Every structure is written in C-alpha cells, then in structure tokens.
Amino acid sequence: MGSVSPNVAELDGSNFNVTRSTNLRDVPLPGSPEEMSHSYCTDHMVTVRWTVANGWETPEVKPYQNLSIPPTASVLHYATECFEGMKVYRGYDGKLRLFRPDCNGERLNNSSQRSSLPGFKYDELKKLVAKLMQVDGPRWLPKERPGSYLYIRPSVIGNGPHLGVQVPKEALLFIIAVPWPDFTKMKKEGETEPKKGLKLFASTPDSVRAWPGGFGSAKLGANYGPSLQAHGKAQAQGFDQILWLFGEDRQVTEAGASNFFIIWHNADTGRLELVTAPLENQLILPGVTRRSVLELVRDRLSKQSVGSLQPLQVSERTLTISEIEKAAKEGRIVESFVSGTAYFITPVAMIRNNDTDISTLGKNGEPAGYAALIKSWLEAIMFGKEEHEWAYVVENEEK
Amino acid sequence: MGSVSPNVAELDGSNFNVTRSTNLRDVPLPGSPEEMSHSYCTDHMVTVRWTVANGWETPEVKPYQNLSIPPTASVLHYATECFEGMKVYRGYDGKLRLFRPDCNGERLNNSSQRSSLPGFKYDELKKLVAKLMQVDGPRWLPKERPGSYLYIRPSVIGNGPHLGVQVPKEALLFIIAVPWPDFTKMKKEGETEPKKGLKLFASTPDSVRAWPGGFGSAKLGANYGPSLQAHGKAQAQGFDQILWLFGEDRQVTEAGASNFFIIWHNADTGRLELVTAPLENQLILPGVTRRSVLELVRDRLSKQSVGSLQPLQVSERTLTISEIEKAAKEGRIVESFVSGTAYFITPVAMIRNNDTDISTLGKNGEPAGYAALIKSWLEAIMFGKEEHEWAYVVENEEK
C-alpha cells in the first residue's frame, strides 16, 4: 500500500523510452495569451506507469498529449492524486538548473503515499525532470534568454479502473513543463502600475482548509478543489488569495497556494522578528521556498545586518490574526510576504479580516526590503550567479 | 461560479445526441471476475460538456470509452470532482426503476457547486440516467432476471486545462452504469459462510475524515482519497470499513462509505431507540438511504409494533463510541447496521475501538431483525412490489 516492496520494480530515472514529437509547437512570448493560460505545455512530457503487480515501468518521454483515462478511474472519483510545483531556470552562465529538486521528490513521495498511491526513491524525480529538460530545454528556455524559467508539474494519479472504494492498484506519474507568467510583474485589469503587494482575504470560520489529523501538510489535490469556492469569492472582490485561519484563536496558517511570513517588532521584546506558522501541527504545507527562506535568513541575516537591514530573529510559531492587527495598530509591522514556487517571494500589502483592512506594509507604506533581499539571494542560486549546493545543474542538453 | 446563470444554457435531459455502440460487450454473470471488478461498465455512457461561456451542451449517449483528458486538467491536480451513487432496479413487474433520483440530483448539484463546478437543475439528472437505461437496460437488466440491479455513477469533473489554481471554466458531467456485487452475500477469503455483519475499525485521533467548516457533507472526491490510507490498513487487518470518530468525545459520525445506525435500549429511559448522527454540523454525508430509513421507521415503526419487533424512538443526535461501549457492556444493544447505496442495509457485527472489541449484535449474537425489515420495505419499493412515490419508473425501454 504505497510503500516500496522488494518484489516489484523501483522507479528508475536513468533509463527511458523516448518518442520524439514530429510537430513542434511555437514557443509563446512572455505575456502572451498562451503563457497567461498557465496550460500551454512544452513539446514533450514524461510518463511512468505503476502497477501493484510489477511496480514502476520504464519511464517514457513522449510528445505532449491528452491522457486516455477510463471513466471508472480512481482519480476522477476519489481524488487519488498529488503533485509538486517546481521550476527550471536558465542561468546567466547558459546552464539549466533545478532548485532543491530532492525536496520536491521527497514531498511527492510522501504525498503519494498519503493518497494511497505508490512510493518511490525520491531522488529519482530530479532525473526524470532533467531528462525532460534535456529534450525541451534548448528550444523552450533558449540560452539567449538567461533569467527565464519554466514551471514544472510532476503529478501522481490513480488512473486505473477502481470504482469500488479501495487503494489503487494502478497509477501514473507524469511530468509536464509550462511557460509561466511572473506574478510579481502582473497587473490586474484596471491597475496602472504593478502593485506594492498582494491583497489577502482572511478566511471565515465557516470555511476551513485543513485540520489536525487531516492532510493539510501533503500536496494533495484534495486540499485545493474544496478551497476554490472561497478563493473564487475572494478573487471576485479583488483579492489575490485567501489567508487561511484556523481555530478559535484564528491562527494564521498559510496563504492559498503559498506560505505566509511577517516581519515585525516583537510586542514583548521590541526585537525585529521574522514569523511564520510552524510545521508541527501539520496544518500547512512544508514549502521548499519556505524552508529555504528560513535557512537563508538564519544563516545570513540573523546575526548581522545587510546594508541598512537590521538582523532578524527567526520564529516558527503559532501567530494569530489579532496579533497582526495589534501590530499594525501599534506601527510594529515592517513587512510581510508569501513564499512558494508559483508566487515565489511576493510582498503582501494588506489583509482583510472580517470588516477590518490591515496594512502589512512598513511604516511609510512600502516594504522594508527584506523580501527583495531574500528574493535576490534565491535568484542568485537559481540562475547561477552564485554557486550553491541547492542548485542542480541539468547536464547534456540536446542540441 | 457554479451557480446557474441566465445567459448560458441550462442542463436539459430531454434532448440527446445518440451514437450507438456497434460492438456490444458480454454481460457478466453474477459473481464473475468482471462483476467483482466494480469497473466493467455497460455498453454506453452519457456525457454532457459545460463551459463557462455557453453553459451545458446537448447531452450525448455514446459507446462506453476512455475519456481524453489534458494533463493540465483541473480534476487531475486540484480534485475538482464530485459524484453520486445510485442504482437502477429490474422490478418483479418487469419495469425498471430508480429510487428517489431527485435526492441524488439535488446532492450532486450541491456537491458540484461546493467543488466550484457548475450547478444544474437537479431534476434533469434522472432524465439523463433514464435515457442511459432506455438504451442499456434491456440487455444488462433483462426482464427475465427481476430483482437484479446496476450501480449508476454520475460524476462531474473539471476536465479543462487549468493548471493555475482557479475556478474551472470547463466541466464534464458523465454517467456510467456498472454491474455491482451484492455485498450482503459476499464472503471473504477463508470464510465458509456469509458473516453476521460488518466488522468496523474505529478511527484513531490522528486520522480525521471531516471537520466543521470543511466538506464532509458533500460527496466530493476529496473526502475519499485521503481516507483510503486508514481504510487500507483496516482492510489489511480483516475489517470492512472505518467507523469515523470525531472530536475529543469521539463522536460516531459515519462508516466509510455509509451512514451508521444503532438500535438500543436508551440508557436513561430504557426505551427502544434508533440512533444515528445528526446532519447539523455537516460532518457526515446526508445519505439518501439514511433519510429513507429514518422516514420509513418514523412512519411505520415508531408508534406500532411490526410482528415481534417493538416500536422504535427515532433520534438523530450526537452519539459517542463510549456510549456504544457502555451499552454493549450493559447488554442494551439490540442491533446495528450501515446504510448506503453501495452497502445498502448491512448489519454491523462488531466495532474495534483501540484495543476493545465491541459486539453490536443483539443479546443472542444475532441481529434482532430490524435491519432486515427495513431492507425488505426498501426492496419492495425498489423492485415494484409496492407502489410508492419514491420509485421513478424508466419508461420507453428500447427493444
């Protein structure tokens, strides 16, 4: 049931059956309708079949195409599905890089088993992604456009016929790559300039994303579909994401598809503090970007200043919306931002909680610059300006 | 967002495009591997496309076939999916009947909107099912086999390309029909005779199916996939289903894919009482069979005896596992059963809660006969032995 058995084949990302597309698609321009669709994929995809009897079959690279799925498939009825979000970056040195891909591999392995789908050796995932990028990287992320990236979506689904409610006996791991707009540069209709930050709508008690003993810390489809109702309502009112609160004390957990951070002067000590929700209660997704932010700040910004930015004390702990409201009233908020693969590092301008609008920008209505600094550190690693163990170089791109 | 808009076409089950299968499949025998697969469908299926721009398109009846789904489809990543379980019954008078199909239509409409999928006029669903049965009923439920049935699975999925987390702009409603084994007659490997009742495994606090403000009362895929892990573990230990408990007081909510009922002598009054969990807190699925059981017992068995069976007081209220354990110790349990479309009315023999096995059969180790009586009432309606407004006759079967 999901775990790796010695009797069946393990996932092996070193051997492929390759079928090349003979009908290459136009690569969309940044900002084009194709890119804005978030769904215009590259020329190829990776698929790997799994059966309970034989385990993982040989991975295939093949032309991007629709999946043929039986109407009785488990994934269509019982949400036996999970995914990852990653990016591949074209560096300023011309190389392609993945960012901490083993973190995504490990999480996908966990999510898959949480969905009663098969587990796998997590460090194989990056090889599958690298193979896809060896084929599609040269055309879709040309060396002449350093600083660009593609969004990578690995998924595992229960695609076998299993209309009876049961643990899936067949599964499919597939990976697609998609040109992705830069959210930080996007303007909404009617806006004349890029805004200072996201507008978040705090969830109300009648709408709960995750709960203790549930599955909020796994990247399952089941965390997303039921949350779209609240998300859609918030978007219709001009908000970007839901800020999910939990419990009677209205704990701040995560923001839609990303983790939430706030930098403020601590109410008790007055010290500058970076706060984000903890992982212990398993309500939030353990983001790879979240983890990287925490590690970089602990390493580079907790003991010394950087330029005019003072050191930050890092706190992973429960925080409530009333703490944030109080900090805003008292002028203690310095900056806040969300982190994630899709939204990367994006400042948050305000939070609406019930009828109260809370500004989460700094005193002068601007971010203090911490988010921009952290973002620049991450980009340096992603785009090869800084050699770092978190970057995984995709070797052997095809001509 | 899901609701019916006046500018787009509504679902219309009175007009179809029909494509007939030219390659009819063998109808499986009861107990055959095909039937036991729960996934061997009839010759045709119904599909209805929906787009945000145009609403519901003309329903199609076409040969059963795999669905062609883009790898970027919302349903494969974000679990934008919901379903219904229904049956069609071949009556002893030769007619085909559905059981309270508008209840399923209403619930599917609710579930679909809860998933940010489109709503529809709920009473159209039965017409779609009836059309499928006009075509496939004569071969798959022959008049020579009265008392037989097919399982009907209507589903709505977000099948459009929507890799960005957003409310789906395309959807597909599809309906398939499947020969379904009779759980009440099934034997497990190693068992020599049909057992006296199901064995339920009470969930532990680290595994929680639903939460107030969540979506436990809607029939979403998201309620099933994440629960398969606990289900699979329980099955591996010889149990049939999980009995989902909730909260610090360990409230009994529902049993896997069905609602749970217990009949006992009330601890305070000594009166015979039928108890099941309430709908108010939205933790459990509002089962059509559940509702029918409650209505029949209130109508036929709450004021007068039937044969040797004494009248029952009907209570929809919170009950806890410790109340059940106490009742068992004190010899007050008369009978218990689950209800649902898949499991119909099936006695429960025991519940394992932590290390305690609780017998939920009556004093002499047998069910008292209430479940059997209620089942016979429902079957009389389903199979046309009793004319009743809950039965919906499928007219105009094809030759």
Side-chain angles (χ1 to χ4, degrees):
Chain A
M1 194 179 45
S3 60
V4 177
S5 152
N7 302 316
V8 297
E10 294 196 358
L11 182 61
D12 178 1
S14 61
N15 186 27
F16 287 84
N17 295 325
V18 180
T19 310
R20 308 221 167 238
S21 173
T22 54
N23 186 16
L24 299 181
R25 333 174 81 190
D26 290 337
V27 177
L29 294 173
S32 63
E34 290 79 13
E35 190 192 74
M36 298 305 286
S37 76
H38 301 82
S39 299
Y40 186 92
C41 295
T42 63
D43 294 309
H44 296 86
M45 63 194 293
V46 168
T47 63
V48 198
R49 253 174 61 87
W50 175 91
T51 62
V52 71
N54 298 320
W56 292 100
E57 299 183 358
T58 302
E60 292 190 61
V61 174
K62 59 188 179 189
Y64 178 82
Q65 59 194 270
N66 276 11
L67 299 170
S68 178
I69 297 181
T72 52
S74 178
V75 65
L76 302 181
H77 303 272
Y78 308 127
T80 46
E81 59 190 70
C82 57
F83 66 94
E84 273 302 313
M86 308 167 70
K87 281 178 180 161
V88 57
Y89 306 88
R90 176 63 75 188
Y92 290 95
D93 58 356
K95 290 184 184 170
L96 283 184
R97 285 177 179 79
L98 305 176
F99 181 76
R100 308 188 84 175
D102 283 344
C103 294
N104 297 100
E106 202 173 352
R107 193 169 60 182
L108 187 63
N109 175 44
N110 290 339
S111 299
S112 192
Q113 296 190 54
R114 184 63 187 82
S115 320
S116 294
L117 291 164
F120 54 87
K121 287 166 65 186
Y122 68 84
D123 51 349
E124 297 298 305
L125 183 69
K126 66 175 177 291
K127 301 180 193 170
L128 301 177
V129 174
K131 180 71 185 180
L132 181 61
M133 283 304 106
Q134 285 165 6
V135 177
D136 280 347
R139 274 194 78 224
W140 290 77
L141 286 178
K143 292 191 179 178
E144 307 82 67
R145 276 179 49 207
S148 59
Y149 56 78
L150 294 171
Y151 182 84
I152 307 285
R153 173 58 63 90
S155 300
V156 187
I157 61 173
N159 67 328
H162 295 296
L163 207 57
V165 175
Q166 62 176 305
V167 173
K169 296 194 177 81
E170 294 177 40
L172 186 78
L173 187 163
F174 66 94
I175 306 173
I176 54 180
V178 195
W180 201 256
D182 185 343
F183 286 108
T184 59
K185 293 177 187 157
M186 280 168 63
K187 286 179 265 183
K188 284 212 171 177
E189 215 172 322
E191 289 174 351
T192 51
E193 53 184 85
K195 57 195 175 190
K196 290 183 179 166
L198 299 174
K199 296 167 71 177
L200 304 183
F201 186 92
S203 67
T204 46
D206 61 355
S207 180
V208 176
R209 176 191 171 273
W211 51 85
F215 42 90
S217 64
K219 209 161 172 69
L220 310 189
N223 281 318
Y224 293 81
S227 75
L228 290 179
Q229 192 177 49
H231 180 70
K233 278 184 198 164
Q235 284 210 315
Q237 293 179 65
F239 293 87
D240 296 285
Q241 290 196 49
I242 296 284
L243 181 66
W244 290 101
L245 306 185
F246 180 78
E248 291 189 8
D249 56 352
R250 311 311 291 146
Q251 298 164 28
V252 173
T253 60
E254 65 179 54
S258 37
N259 293 115
F260 176 83
F261 289 83
I262 192 158
I263 299 171
W264 60 23
H265 291 277
N266 183 286
D268 299 325
T269 66
R271 280 190 60 182
L272 268 172
E273 186 183 28
L274 172 73
V275 190
T276 196
L279 301 180
E280 286 78 36
N281 57 10
Q282 302 200 309
L283 288 179
I284 69 164
L285 197 75
V288 177
T289 314
R290 172 190 181 279
R291 172 178 170 176
S292 304
V293 167
L294 292 172
E295 290 174 16
L296 284 176
V297 172
R298 284 193 174 114
D299 191 42
R300 303 181 181 184
L301 194 50
S302 64
K303 297 189 184 71
Q304 68 270 39
S305 301
V306 176
S308 63
L309 297 172
Q310 300 295 310
L312 299 175
Q313 180 174 12
V314 177
S315 300
E316 291 179 70
R317 65 165 170 90
T318 298
L319 77 160
T320 66
I321 192 72
S322 42
E323 284 181 84
I324 295 178
E325 197 174 336
K326 183 159 175 282
K329 275 186 192 153
E330 296 171 1
R332 286 188 285 105
I333 294 179
V334 173
E335 191 170 354
S336 73
F337 59 92
V338 296
S339 77
T341 298
Y343 278 83
F344 195 26
I345 305 288
T346 305
V348 174
M350 61 83 71
I351 300 167
R352 175 167 297 171
N353 181 42
N354 297 321
D355 297 330
T356 307
D357 284 354
I358 309 169
S359 168
T360 52
L361 296 166
K363 269 186 182 170
N364 55 358
E366 297 283 342
Y370 286 100
L373 176 65
I374 295 165
K375 189 177 168 187
S376 74
W377 285 340
L378 289 166
E379 283 177 331
I381 298 170
M382 291 160 172
F383 293 106
K385 289 181 188 168
E386 176 190 342
E387 286 295 313
H388 198 283
E389 58 180 7
W390 291 350
Y392 174 79
V393 174
V394 177
E395 310 278 6
N396 301 317
E397 286 182 71
E398 298 185 356
K399 299 286 173 197
Chain B
M1 194 179 46
S3 60
V4 177
S5 150
N7 301 316
V8 297
E10 294 196 357
L11 182 62
D12 178 0
S14 61
N15 185 27
F16 287 83
N17 296 325
V18 180
T19 309
R20 307 218 168 243
S21 172
T22 54
N23 186 16
L24 298 181
R25 333 175 82 191
D26 290 336
V27 177
L29 294 173
S32 63
E34 290 79 13
E35 190 192 73
M36 298 305 286
S37 77
H38 301 83
S39 299
Y40 185 92
C41 295
T42 63
D43 295 307
H44 297 86
M45 63 194 292
V46 168
T47 62
V48 198
R49 251 174 62 87
W50 174 91
T51 62
V52 71
N54 299 319
W56 292 101
E57 299 183 359
T58 302
E60 292 191 60
V61 175
K62 59 188 177 189
Y64 178 81
Q65 60 196 268
N66 277 10
L67 300 170
S68 178
I69 297 181
T72 52
S74 178
V75 66
L76 302 182
H77 303 272
Y78 307 126
T80 46
E81 59 189 71
C82 57
F83 66 93
E84 274 302 314
M86 308 167 70
K87 281 179 180 160
V88 58
Y89 305 89
R90 176 62 75 187
Y92 289 95
D93 59 355
K95 290 184 183 170
L96 283 185
R97 285 178 179 79
L98 306 176
F99 181 77
R100 309 188 83 175
D102 282 344
C103 294
N104 297 98
E106 201 172 354
R107 195 170 59 181
L108 187 63
N109 175 44
N110 290 339
S111 299
S112 191
Q113 295 189 55
R114 183 65 186 81
S115 319
S116 295
L117 291 164
F120 55 87
K121 287 166 65 184
Y122 69 84
D123 51 348
E124 297 299 305
L125 183 69
K126 66 175 179 288
K127 300 180 193 170
L128 301 177
V129 175
K131 180 71 186 181
L132 181 61
M133 283 305 107
Q134 285 165 7
V135 177
D136 280 348
R139 275 194 78 224
W140 290 77
L141 286 177
K143 292 192 179 178
E144 307 82 68
R145 276 178 49 206
S148 58
Y149 57 79
L150 294 170
Y151 182 84
I152 307 285
R153 172 58 63 92
S155 300
V156 187
I157 61 174
N159 68 329
H162 295 296
L163 207 58
V165 175
Q166 62 176 306
V167 172
K169 296 194 176 81
E170 294 179 38
L172 185 77
L173 188 163
F174 65 94
I175 306 173
I176 53 179
V178 195
W180 202 255
D182 185 341
F183 286 107
T184 60
K185 293 178 187 157
M186 279 167 63
K187 286 179 263 182
K188 285 211 171 179
E189 216 173 319
E191 290 174 350
T192 52
E193 55 183 83
K195 57 196 175 189
K196 288 182 178 166
L198 299 174
K199 295 168 70 177
L200 304 183
F201 187 91
S203 67
T204 46
D206 60 356
S207 179
V208 177
R209 176 189 170 275
W211 196 266
F215 42 89
S217 64
K219 209 161 172 71
L220 310 190
N223 281 318
Y224 292 81
S227 75
L228 290 180
Q229 192 177 49
H231 180 70
K233 278 184 199 165
Q235 285 209 315
Q237 293 179 65
F239 293 88
D240 296 285
Q241 289 194 50
I242 296 284
L243 182 66
W244 291 101
L245 307 185
F246 179 78
E248 290 188 10
D249 56 352
R250 311 313 291 146
Q251 299 165 27
V252 173
T253 62
E254 65 179 53
S258 36
N259 294 114
F260 177 82
F261 289 84
I262 194 160
I263 300 171
W264 61 22
H265 292 276
N266 182 289
D268 299 325
T269 65
R271 279 189 63 180
L272 269 172
E273 187 184 26
L274 172 74
V275 190
T276 196
L279 301 181
E280 285 77 35
N281 57 9
Q282 303 199 308
L283 286 179
I284 70 164
L285 197 76
V288 177
T289 314
R290 173 189 180 280
R291 171 177 171 176
S292 304
V293 167
L294 293 172
E295 289 174 17
L296 284 176
V297 171
R298 284 193 173 112
D299 190 43
R300 302 182 181 183
L301 194 51
S302 65
K303 297 189 184 70
Q304 68 273 36
S305 301
V306 176
S308 62
L309 297 171
Q310 301 296 311
L312 300 176
Q313 182 175 10
V314 177
S315 299
E316 291 177 72
R317 66 166 169 90
T318 298
L319 78 160
T320 65
I321 192 70
S322 43
E323 284 182 84
I324 295 178
E325 197 175 335
K326 184 160 176 280
K329 276 186 192 155
E330 296 172 1
R332 286 187 285 105
I333 293 179
V334 173
E335 192 169 353
S336 74
F337 59 93
V338 297
S339 76
T341 298
Y343 278 84
F344 195 25
I345 303 289
T346 305
V348 173
M350 62 84 71
I351 301 167
R352 175 168 296 171
N353 181 41
N354 297 320
D355 297 329
T356 307
D357 284 354
I358 308 170
S359 168
T360 53
L361 296 166
K363 269 186 184 172
N364 55 358
E366 297 282 343
Y370 286 100
L373 176 64
I374 295 164
K375 189 176 169 186
S376 74
W377 285 339
L378 288 166
E379 284 178 330
I381 298 169
M382 291 160 172
F383 293 106
K385 288 182 187 166
E386 177 190 340
E387 287 295 315
H388 198 284
E389 58 179 7
W390 290 351
Y392 173 79
V393 174
V394 177
E395 310 277 6
N396 302 317
E397 286 181 72
E398 298 186 357
K399 298 288 173 196

